[in-house]
Amino acid sequence: MIIDCPCCGPRPVSEFSYIGDAEVEKPDMQAPVADWVEAVYTRTNPRGTHLEHWQHLHGCRQFLKLQRDTLTHEIFAVELAGVYASGAGE
Amino acid sequence: MTSFRIDKPSVVDFETPVNFTFDGHSYRGFAGDTVASALLANGVYLFGRSFKYHQPRGVMGAHVEEANALITIGRGAHAEPNLQATTIPVAEGMEVFSQNRWPSLKLDLLSINQLAAPLLSAGFYYKTFMGPTKRSWMLYEPFIRRAAGLGAVSTSADDQAYEKDHRFCDVLIIGGGVTGIAAGLAAARSGLRVMLVDDRNVWGGQMAGVDDDLSGQPLDQWIGHSIRELQELGAELLSRTTVFGVYDGHVHGAVQRLADVSSHDGVKRPLQRFLKIVAKHSILATGAFENPMLFKNNSLPGVMLADTARHFMDRFSVACGKQIVIYTNNDSAYDAARRLAEAGLNVTTLIDTRPSVSAACQSLARHIGASHLVGWQVEKAHGRHKVKAVSVCKIDDRRQKQRISSDCLAVSGGWNPVVHLASHMGMAPVYSEPMGAFIVDPDSLPCHCHVAGPVAGSLDLPSCVNGGFAAGIKVAQQLGSTPPDPIEATAMHGFIGDWPMKADVETLSEKVMLDFQNDVTLGDIKLAVVEGYSATEHLKRYTTLGMGTDQGRTSNINAISLLTQLTGQQIENIRPTRFRPPFTPITLGALVGHHVGDHAQPTRLTPMHDWHAAQGAMMVPVGLWWRPRAYLKPGETLREAYIREAGNVRENVGICDVSTLGKIAVQGPDAGVFLDRVYTNNFATLPVGKARYGLMLRDDGMVLDDGTSWRLGENDYLMTTTTGGAGAVMQHLERLHNLYWPDLRVSFVSVTGQWAGMSVAGPKSRQVLGKAFSGTDFSDAALPIMGVMSIQTASGTILVARLSFSGELAYEVFCPACMGTEIWCDLLSHGADSGIQPYGTEALGALRIEKGHVAGGELDGRVSPYNLRLDGMLSKKKWFFGKPLLERDGLYGDDQYRLVGLISEDKQPLQAGAHVVFGDKASPGPSQGWVSSVTYSPSLDEEIGLALVKKQALEKDTGMYAANPVAGIHRKVRIVSHHFLDPEGHRMRL
Ligand SMILES: [Zn+2]
């Protein structure tokens, strides 16, 4: 697999670290336990298109949001997630 | 020259002899020979024994389709098993061994398996070992392991050299036959970066050395010119390179064989190179394998594929026999027959199963002077170790029989395209009626994958060349280059165009061999169908058809054809089994490359490493780091050394290199808020100039890591982590910041390597620091417990924090890495009067276990703060990460583990990893927990340990044991508080 990092360009998957399901709602700090159980343990594990978080661990260390097909491993879209995501932070 | 060489020019260079051995016997081949051609030329026909029945086997295929002639090259650590004798060029001094025979190839005692054949039928393994009689596996395993198998892997370390490399190109063409060469020409003429890869050591594939012409040019000349043009156009041509797998993201795995034996001049050169090839487009031009014909004893040496007989003659000047009989169901074998006859070999008979053949075939048979039996069938090959004769009969009148003398039965059951790599990509091959085989439907492939030649349904020379060229043009168009005009090549000979007729299952013996490598017969297939395993994937698993290194290269299509007849299915509706990588066996050496020994992973050394080494410290790897384990004095054992070092810390003062601790600079206006959220305890109130011990949890509430964080300035913290946890903590912080709280203004930088760290511990540590940094006040008032101060020197800032892991009065001194050795030596010289001694990780461990501090042994990712009795560190006033899921009731149940101390009742050492049990050695009972860390305690003069034991077990503690049944050790232990020493912490408050 090759991931096209918005910062570094196309790089082999071995440089990246899978972080988790990006479709899971991140609970608020004060959210009830049930919400955290949902966020930490419950996964839909779809066959097909899926949103995922990856980190370019051995590169720019940025967090990326990928739209990826879990069947064919085709990557449809890559964007920065987290602090430098468009609209986040400053 | 031996009697099996013929006088005909070929790639074999008769001026250059090559000496090698086969099972200890010396043979002479020539440069250009393969192991197979050299042995055949020497009259050797027996190459190995079959997998289950130990039947004699010889060469059946020309190259990578060979299922029988598997060999091992080299011995000991250099042995490489399961190689095909047909693909390995002979080299001077090469040692070749046959496989799966015992005690010798000719006299194989295990060929008694042939008599026991009914016992080894389909589903044998399942029926015998998986059912209620599972125990019988124990009984039979040694026998089965010796009897059934391929080559053996050496257990000693391979010291030969291997390499890894990455390659990139616009188009990767897999297969350097005429199809691939044509595709390469079109792509390279369009200006694309072309890689052409082939597993043979010559270009042209199946057609190399074939006497034909292409658009009026001799075929060999066309191949030579085309390869030269490709080189001039900058294409990368890799021969002896097998693309063994196709993976996601246009990634192809390939292994290039650079040499088959180590060089003799002492210079280590790589034998193999593992290539990861990333290609924008790929063209599969992998050609086709000829299918065997089906009859009794069809696996006997001397039975070989028709084009293989032609190949050995054309390419290696080897005659496969003196009385050749051709047996076919299609036209292609007539071409082979013509070439064999024209080279002067004696083709006595042509047997064709078809009821009638074309006039062209008839005239060809007349031309070569062979008797022509049309509508006839071979019933059996005769001979014990080699074909001596064949029995044939007329299909529509089976009473008409003949027995024909022959030493080589050359068979052709049609051609089977090599669709393996498309199958790796998940594409299901489709049945092609005219081909009588499964091919790849180009429309089923992703847009960057293309097929040409037999894989796409072409078999004759012109359509392969034209189709290959067209595929190259298509890639050029898709990549926006200007392609050349298509070509319309023509050929002189080649296939006439009548396709194979499948064998009728009713006319075949049960003993007909289908899968030569796995010894699967028609009888096995019939049995599997009767027992309900008639789907192809079930059939494969039940009978082992298509397994092994061969993956059904020459067996699949025959088996599927018979299966459809047995089950009444339509072959169009059959989905062949999925092929899996690797296409051919790959050595672990190639995959690992140079990443062995010291190069397996990076090595991290602390700034004071050279000093430790000069002292002769015993070093120990900790993750990527090398740390001093103990500084042994002459004559001292490790145990004596760490007891001395730890005792000296309690009595005087010691110094320990702690540079390996993870260090992360956490900075920014919201750094304090951030730390308050990631640590379970309160950090918001930590003043500048103070450090605090903190506990960090994962999402699920389990402990991630612990360490201290030092507030150096208003917005400036220095976090320390455990040596092993540094990477995971860094990633944890980054993840929480990015995905949970991107609004916080905080940033993280790993500064582990920037700081040298040393722990100065012991009742005399204050006076050592006072001397080393004269003018600095280290009194309890100036630097209280958990205080941090910075000392400015000309060379840089030094941080001193009053932290104790050992329980003694102790300081951690951090300085820039470049000053590490200078400060370390300074502290040692100023501490000489105080009796300072360096101490290593063993003493460090002993000291912390005496104090009941947790470390790697306890922080294994499965423990909660409650398990570690650190629940006092969970703030009740604030929210912290991991808190919600830590509130689950189950984490506080009676079956939860609790940290305890253990003392060995009989003063014998305990072992980490031992189970804590109630019972004695005879009846230990269920595990109640495990021992996580152990040491000898100099302070207590006891063998002690830390353990995690179930709460309910602690409540009815009636004396317990630490059990290590593997080592046969069972120690009576006493359960105590994990704070073995000074639980009130008086010693650090000096
Ligand atoms: Zn990046």
Side-chain angles (χ1 to χ4, degrees):
Chain A
M1 235 165 79
I2 306 271
I3 297 176
D4 195 358
C5 174
C7 306
C8 313
R11 307 294 307 167
V13 70
S14 51
E15 291 183 2
F16 295 82
S17 172
Y18 179 73
I19 298 298
D21 189 335
E23 290 172 12
V24 169
E25 286 280 320
K26 295 275 179 280
D28 287 343
M29 286 196 287
Q30 304 305 334
V33 174
D35 287 11
W36 282 89
V37 170
E38 186 72 16
V40 172
Y41 293 109
T42 311
R43 294 287 178 274
T44 51
N45 192 22
R47 179 186 192 266
T49 310
H50 191 222
L51 288 177
E52 299 169 342
H53 281 130
W54 288 71
Q55 186 185 9
H56 195 185
L57 196 68
H58 304 292
C60 61
R61 292 193 79 93
Q62 290 307 308
F63 284 74
L64 313 176
K65 192 193 268 185
L66 266 67
Q67 193 187 28
R68 194 177 73 96
D69 191 310
T70 58
L71 184 68
T72 64
H73 299 193
E74 189 179 349
I75 297 166
F76 306 107
V78 186
E79 62 180 50
L80 279 170
V83 177
Y84 296 102
S86 52
E90 285 168 295
Chain B
M1 217 179 279
T2 65
S3 57
F4 289 93
R5 290 280 188 193
I6 54 169
D7 187 19
K8 173 194 176 300
S10 67
V11 296
V12 175
D13 172 10
F14 293 109
E15 304 294 313
T16 314
V18 176
N19 299 297
F20 68 103
T21 64
F22 179 57
D23 283 345
H25 298 284
S26 297
Y27 292 99
R28 169 166 292 186
F30 298 94
D33 262 328
T34 60
V35 171
S37 70
L39 287 174
L40 286 173
N42 278 285
V44 174
Y45 49 84
L46 186 56
F47 278 67
R49 291 278 173 171
S50 70
F51 188 71
K52 273 195 315 204
Y53 305 132
H54 289 249
Q55 294 173 345
R57 291 293 167 83
V59 172
M60 53 100 58
H63 193 249
V64 75
E65 70 272 32
E66 178 58 51
N68 290 336
L70 300 184
I71 51 167
T72 297
I73 303 179
R75 59 168 79 224
H78 292 185
E80 187 179 350
N82 300 337
L83 294 165
Q84 292 158 311
T86 49
T87 66
I88 303 297
V90 285
E92 185 65 34
M94 183 181 260
E95 290 181 290
V96 180
F97 301 93
S98 62
Q99 298 182 168
N100 203 29
R101 44 43 182 186
W102 183 80
S104 77
L105 191 50
K106 261 271 164 69
L107 174 75
D108 185 333
L109 295 179
L110 293 171
S111 60
I112 193 158
N113 281 7
Q114 290 189 66
L115 304 175
L119 293 177
L120 298 172
S121 62
F124 161 69
Y125 289 89
Y126 287 91
K127 287 170 188 163
T128 314
F129 305 120
M130 300 304 186
T133 55
K134 220 168 174 176
R135 286 189 86 87
S136 57
W137 175 246
M138 310 283 186
L139 191 63
Y140 290 120
E141 189 190 357
F143 168 74
I144 301 279
R145 291 252 182 253
R146 177 180 280 169
L150 299 171
V153 174
S154 165
T155 51
S156 28
D158 184 356
D159 63 352
Q160 299 173 112
Y162 299 87
E163 282 188 352
K164 282 193 209 183
D165 203 356
H166 289 78
R167 299 293 169 88
F168 304 88
C169 59
D170 291 327
V171 56
L172 169 67
I173 299 158
I174 304 163
V178 290
T179 310
I181 291 172
L185 283 178
R189 286 176 190 167
S190 315
L192 300 184
R193 277 170 75 193
V194 174
M195 264 185 94
L196 180 63
V197 174
D198 194 84
D199 56 0
R200 302 184 187 225
N201 57 1
V202 287
W203 298 102
Q206 204 100 31
M207 301 306 278
V210 166
D211 160 38
D212 205 331
D213 76 19
L214 196 67
S215 303
Q217 189 181 15
L219 185 57
D220 266 354
Q221 200 183 68
W222 178 83
I223 293 170
H225 287 174
S226 302
I227 291 297
R228 220 162 309 133
E229 182 181 345
L230 282 169
Q231 283 165 335
E232 283 160 10
L233 289 170
E236 187 171 8
L237 304 177
L238 298 176
S239 59
R240 293 210 78 198
T241 304
T242 303
V243 174
F244 63 77
V246 182
Y247 304 90
D248 305 312
H250 308 206
V251 174
H252 303 75
V255 166
Q256 187 179 15
R257 290 190 79 94
L258 303 163
D260 299 295
V261 291
S262 301
S263 56
H264 302 293
D265 56 8
V267 181
K268 231 186 203 185
R269 295 183 187 84
L271 288 184
Q272 297 174 21
R273 185 178 289 139
F274 170 40
L275 299 170
K276 216 184 244 185
I277 305 170
V278 182
K280 286 181 191 157
H281 285 256
S282 63
I283 299 174
L284 291 188
T286 42
F289 297 138
E290 201 165 22
N291 293 317
M293 291 293 277
L294 305 176
F295 48 90
K296 208 169 169 182
N297 281 346
N298 60 338
S299 59
L300 198 61
V303 179
M304 64 168 58
L305 298 170
D307 195 62
T308 297
R310 195 276 311 159
H311 173 83
F312 278 106
M313 179 275 296
D314 266 337
R315 222 174 120 53
F316 303 111
S317 314
V318 168
C320 291
K322 294 175 178 175
Q323 285 177 301
I324 300 172
V325 172
I326 307 260
Y327 180 35
T328 185
N329 64 4
N330 69 94
D331 283 359
S332 74
Y334 288 80
D335 229 25
R338 176 181 62 83
R339 289 180 197 138
L340 288 167
E342 284 174 0
L345 299 186
N346 179 22
V347 179
T348 67
T349 316
L350 266 165
I351 304 159
D352 199 316
T353 59
R354 294 173 293 182
S356 65
V357 296
S358 65
C361 289
Q362 289 173 24
S363 79
L364 197 141
R366 272 195 306 276
H367 166 68
I368 63 173
S371 72
H372 198 193
L373 299 174
V374 175
W376 284 62
Q377 182 180 27
V378 171
E379 288 197 300
K380 184 178 180 181
H382 302 274
R384 207 164 97 82
H385 284 139
K386 169 110 206 259
V387 174
K388 287 195 169 65
V390 292
S391 295
V392 297
C393 72
K394 196 158 196 301
I395 292 174
D396 57 11
D397 178 11
R398 305 185 76 82
R399 285 165 305 177
Q400 283 198 52
K401 291 182 190 293
Q402 279 189 35
R403 187 181 162 110
I404 306 165
S405 286
S406 171
D407 60 347
C408 174
L409 179 54
V411 299
S412 176
W415 292 80
N416 193 19
V418 184
V419 298
H420 295 62
L421 296 180
S423 185
H424 293 180
M425 291 185 273
M427 303 310 132
V430 292
Y431 189 73
S432 155
E433 184 62 39
M435 290 276 285
F438 288 89
I439 62 168
V440 175
D441 172 10
D443 294 335
S444 72
L445 292 169
C447 61
H448 64 275
C449 297
H450 314 268
V451 284
V455 186
S458 317
L459 257 191
D460 64 280
L461 176 58
S463 65
C464 285
V465 171
N466 297 337
F469 206 82
I473 290 174
K474 193 172 164 202
V475 171
Q477 284 166 340
Q478 288 188 14
L479 287 173
S481 299
T482 313
D485 291 330
I487 54 168
E488 287 291 343
T490 55
M492 193 159 67
H493 302 293
F495 299 105
I496 304 156
D498 198 6
W499 300 100
M501 196 191 88
K502 296 286 185 249
D504 179 358
V505 70
E506 298 301 327
T507 69
L508 299 176
S509 156
E510 300 245 315
K511 291 191 176 164
V512 158
M513 193 56 72
L514 285 166
D515 186 325
F516 289 62
Q517 193 177 74
N518 297 296
D519 273 359
V520 180
T521 62
L522 173 58
D524 292 324
I525 307 284
K526 282 185 174 172
L527 186 61
V529 169
V530 166
E531 296 187 348
Y533 296 90
S534 54
T536 49
E537 293 285 358
H538 291 162
L539 184 71
K540 173 176 178 178
R541 281 152 187 78
Y542 202 58
T543 63
T544 69
L545 177 98
M547 289 191 177
T549 64
D550 181 59
Q551 290 282 297
R553 281 191 263 272
T554 50
S555 62
N556 261 7
I557 190 70
N558 279 336
I560 288 175
S561 159
L562 297 176
L563 181 67
T564 55
Q565 294 178 45
L566 290 168
T567 58
Q569 289 166 285
Q570 291 299 309
I571 199 163
E572 297 75 23
N573 300 333
I574 297 264
R575 189 183 168 127
T577 51
R578 176 128 180 213
F579 296 110
R580 297 169 198 287
F583 178 65
T584 48
I586 304 302
T587 60
L588 289 175
L591 294 177
V592 171
H594 58 280
H595 293 133
V596 290
D598 288 345
H599 302 290
Q601 56 182 18
T603 302
R604 300 190 75 177
L605 303 176
T606 75
M608 290 82 93
H609 179 83
D610 288 348
W611 188 90
H612 305 315
Q615 297 298 306
M618 177 190 277
M619 304 300 287
V620 60
V622 182
L624 301 180
W625 292 98
W626 282 86
R627 299 189 69 176
R629 190 171 181 191
Y631 302 83
L632 274 62
K633 292 194 166 163
E636 224 176 18
T637 64
L638 172 64
R639 185 180 163 90
E640 288 162 354
Y642 86 72
I643 292 170
R644 168 181 53 74
E645 290 171 5
N648 190 58
V649 170
R650 296 262 183 253
E651 199 171 320
N652 296 306
V653 56
I655 182 167
C656 180
D657 185 347
V658 296
S659 305
T660 59
L661 288 177
K663 307 172 202 79
I664 300 170
V666 182
Q667 294 169 332
D670 295 324
V673 177
F674 183 85
L675 291 181
D676 209 38
R677 291 185 190 174
V678 298
Y679 278 128
T680 62
N681 47 331
N682 201 332
F683 265 76
T685 56
L686 182 69
V688 173
K690 278 283 202 178
R692 188 162 288 171
Y693 174 75
L695 195 64
M696 216 180 273
L697 307 184
R698 295 190 312 227
D699 309 49
D700 60 0
M702 297 295 118
V703 176
L704 173 69
D705 202 63
D706 68 347
T708 59
S709 278
W710 313 0
R711 190 166 189 181
L712 304 179
E714 188 59 30
N715 301 327
D716 184 4
Y717 293 80
L718 179 65
M719 175 188 284
T720 68
T721 74
T722 58
T723 296
V729 170
M730 183 71 181
Q731 201 181 8
H732 178 72
L733 303 181
E734 288 171 333
R735 181 173 69 93
L736 297 190
H737 181 217
N738 279 278
L739 301 185
Y740 283 84
W741 315 306
D743 53 317
L744 291 186
R745 294 161 300 166
V746 60
S747 68
F748 321 97
V749 182
S750 167
V751 292
T752 301
Q754 273 65 31
W755 294 101
M758 47 211 96
S759 176
V760 184
K764 296 177 184 169
S765 56
R766 184 178 283 138
Q767 67 198 56
V768 176
L769 257 63
K771 278 190 201 165
F773 304 104
S774 55
T776 306
D777 182 5
F778 291 101
S779 68
D780 191 54
L783 188 61
I785 289 173
M786 304 309 279
V788 181
M789 64 159 64
S790 66
I791 303 167
Q792 305 301 327
T793 73
S795 318
T797 301
I798 294 168
L799 299 174
V800 181
R802 190 169 156 195
L803 301 171
S804 179
F805 196 44
S806 57
E808 299 300 319
L809 173 69
Y811 301 87
E812 280 186 12
V813 179
F814 280 18
C815 66
C818 59
M819 296 171 68
T821 306
E822 177 196 336
I823 300 291
W824 174 272
C825 292
D826 234 32
L827 287 163
L828 277 168
S829 61
H830 286 104
D833 296 344
S834 315
I836 197 167
Q837 288 180 18
Y839 64 102
T841 54
E842 287 293 327
L844 188 74
L847 295 165
R848 71 100 186 163
I849 293 170
E850 286 182 338
K851 286 297 296 176
H853 289 315
V854 295
E858 290 74 36
L859 302 175
D860 67 357
R862 298 179 296 173
V863 293
S864 71
Y866 178 74
N867 297 146
L868 297 175
R869 296 187 195 265
L870 290 173
D871 23 338
M873 293 195 59
L874 307 177
S875 171
K876 295 199 170 55
K877 297 196 185 102
K878 62 153 192 176
W879 184 92
F880 55 86
F881 195 77
K883 185 174 192 177
L885 291 185
L886 199 56
E887 286 168 3
R888 290 172 295 172
D889 292 343
L891 295 178
Y892 302 90
D894 284 348
D895 59 345
Q896 283 295 305
Y897 296 94
R898 299 282 270 165
L899 184 69
V900 294
L902 298 181
I903 295 176
S904 175
E905 292 276 30
D906 53 7
K907 301 215 172 205
Q908 292 296 309
L910 300 174
Q911 289 166 308
H915 282 276
V916 177
V917 295
F918 276 121
D920 60 11
K921 196 168 182 175
S923 51
S927 174
Q928 305 297 327
W930 70 92
V931 180
S932 52
S933 306
V934 297
T935 188
Y936 167 76
S937 165
S939 308
L940 276 63
D941 184 26
E942 296 278 9
E943 293 290 346
I944 63 169
L946 296 177
L948 284 138
V949 180
K950 280 180 186 167
K951 190 179 166 193
Q952 62 205 25
L954 294 173
E955 280 160 6
K956 55 173 175 182
D957 176 14
T958 55
M960 288 191 163
Y961 297 87
N964 180 352
V966 177
I969 293 172
H970 208 80
R971 300 250 188 272
K972 193 153 178 45
V973 293
R974 188 163 79 245
I975 300 219
V976 296
S977 160
H978 57 294
H979 301 295
F980 291 94
L981 185 76
D982 184 25
E984 297 80 23
H986 293 306
R987 298 178 69 94
M988 56 194 263
R989 293 181 207 284
L990 285 174

